[in-house]
Amino acid sequence: MKNVNLNALRVFSMVASHGSLQRAAEELSLSRGAVSQRIKQLEIELGVVLLVRGSRGVSLTPEGERCHAAMEEALAILDTTLVSIGQGGDRITLHLGSSTATKWLMPRMDAFAARFPTVSLTTQVHEQILARSLGRNEIAIWPGKANDANPAHGSRHLTDIRLAAVCSPDFLRPDWPMGLETLLTLPLLQDAHRRWEKLIQATGHGNAHKLLNFDRSALALDAAIGGHGVAIAPTYMVENDLRSKRLVEVWVDPEPSDDGLYVSWSKDHVGQQRISRIVNWIESEFR
C-alpha cells in the first residue's frame, strides 16, 4: 500500500464533492492555497493527476473519479461503524425527510413516547437518502420506487404515495366537484418537487398560472393552512391537518403512482426486539 497522507485524501474528497477549491477551503477552515498545495502533494505521492483546474472550478480526471469513488465508499463504511460505537440499546436514530418529520412524525411523538417510554429518539433530517449503510439502532423512512436495495438492510413498504390538493377551509374556491382544469386556475403553492408544474405540463393547460414556490412540502402546506392558496402533497403528510380541519381536500390525483414510502433498518440487528417493535409501530401508523 502506498504511504499516502490520509488528511490529504480527506481534502481531496472535499474538493471533489464541491467541485471547487474555494468552497472546500471554506468548509475545512483552510486557505485556498493550502488546499491546492495538499492536492498537488497527493498527486505527487500517487503519481497521477487527480484534478483539472478551470475558471469555473475543478473537474476530476478518470484517476480522480476512481479515487473519489473509493474515498466515498471507505468513508461510508467508516461512518456506519462509528455511529454504532457507543450507542446504547435505549437510543434510536430515525432518518427521514424534513417534511415527513414535520407533518407525519411530530403529531405522533406523544404516541411514540407512550408506547416506548424508555427509548430516547433522535431524528436526523436529510434532503437525500443516506449514502451509507444504517448502523446499530438506526431506522430510515424514505420514498422510492421499490424496497431498499442495500443488501445490508431489511426493508418494508409503508404506503403508496398518492397526491392530494389541499387548502384552508376558509380559502375562497369554486364549488365542488372541482376538476383539474379549474384547480389550476387557483393560486398554487409548490414545493421543490415541482408537482404543480408537472401537472400543468402533463395536461397542457399553458403557463399562465399563479405559482408560489417553497423548498419544502411542509412550508407549502403551512402556507395553505394560512389561506394563501392550494398545496399539493402526499396524502400521508396531510392526514393530521385534515383530521383537525386545518385543511380540506379539494382534489386527489386519480393516476396510480409507482412511488412508495419505505422503512429500512440494519439486518445485523434484526434480532433486536426493540428495533422490531418500533418498525412494527411505524408500519401500523400507515395502515
Side-chain angles (χ1 to χ4, degrees):
M1 177 179 175
K2 293 185 177 182
N3 185 21
V4 176
N5 186 294
L6 294 180
N7 188 48
L9 280 171
R10 175 171 171 265
V11 171
F12 164 73
S13 182
M14 190 71 69
V15 172
S17 296
H18 287 300
S20 164
L21 293 169
Q22 185 59 43
R23 288 180 62 190
E26 291 170 358
E27 187 158 336
L28 293 166
S29 298
L30 296 171
S31 69
R32 188 179 185 281
V35 168
S36 181
Q37 185 59 41
R38 292 186 192 188
I39 298 297
K40 288 179 181 177
Q41 185 61 41
L42 179 62
E43 290 175 326
I44 291 171
E45 291 174 355
L46 293 175
V48 296
V49 176
L50 299 173
L51 298 176
V52 177
R53 294 158 175 82
S55 59
R56 296 187 177 182
V58 297
S59 59
L60 299 179
T61 65
E63 292 82 3
E65 292 279 4
R66 289 177 58 196
C67 184
H68 186 224
M71 281 294 298
E72 290 289 288
E73 183 178 356
L75 288 172
I77 293 171
L78 184 60
D79 237 359
T80 300
T81 303
L82 291 177
V83 297
S84 300
I85 295 174
Q87 284 196 359
D90 290 338
R91 181 172 298 177
I92 300 294
T93 299
L94 180 61
H95 301 273
L96 69 176
S98 60
S99 294
T100 300
T102 302
K103 291 297 182 179
W104 181 84
L105 179 62
M106 289 303 105
R108 291 169 170 79
M109 288 303 297
D110 288 344
F112 181 91
R115 183 72 176 270
F116 305 102
T118 64
V119 172
S120 174
L121 181 67
T122 299
T123 59
Q124 291 191 12
V125 299
H126 308 272
E127 297 306 314
Q128 296 181 338
I129 192 168
L130 283 175
R132 63 172 176 80
S133 296
L134 295 170
R136 182 181 182 185
N137 292 345
E138 287 190 300
I139 299 171
I141 297 175
W142 207 260
K145 301 288 186 183
N147 277 306
D148 191 338
N150 189 325
H153 293 169
S155 180
R156 292 183 197 168
H157 175 266
L158 295 174
T159 186
D160 292 330
I161 293 181
R162 192 177 184 194
L163 299 178
V166 293
C167 64
S168 166
D170 300 323
F171 180 72
L172 294 177
R173 60 189 184 278
D175 292 336
W176 293 12
M178 188 186 303
L180 183 58
E181 186 171 357
T182 301
L183 180 64
L184 293 177
T185 66
L186 302 175
L188 304 176
L189 308 173
Q190 179 171 251
D191 60 31
H193 294 283
R194 305 294 185 194
R195 294 184 176 110
W196 282 129
E197 289 182 13
K198 292 173 184 176
L199 276 173
I200 291 167
Q201 292 170 4
T203 55
H205 285 303
N207 298 315
H209 299 278
K210 304 171 185 176
L211 285 171
L212 183 58
N213 291 292
F214 299 86
D215 65 346
R216 288 176 174 81
S217 298
L219 295 177
L221 291 171
D222 285 345
I225 292 171
H228 298 290
V230 183
I232 187 169
T235 52
Y236 76 87
M237 284 190 189
V238 300
E239 58 186 13
N240 187 65
D241 289 322
L242 292 175
R243 277 197 300 267
S244 62
K245 302 189 185 304
R246 288 189 291 268
L247 291 172
V248 294
E249 190 177 89
V250 295
W251 179 82
V252 176
D253 190 351
E255 296 297 324
S257 172
D258 57 355
D259 290 324
L261 197 68
Y262 298 86
V263 60
S264 302
W265 64 96
S266 173
K267 279 184 178 177
D268 290 340
H269 304 284
V270 71
Q272 289 187 3
Q273 290 298 315
R274 182 176 286 105
I275 289 289
S276 179
R277 290 199 305 271
I278 293 174
V279 169
N280 288 340
W281 176 83
I282 291 171
E283 188 177 30
S284 72
E285 288 296 308
F286 282 92
R287 289 174 187 158

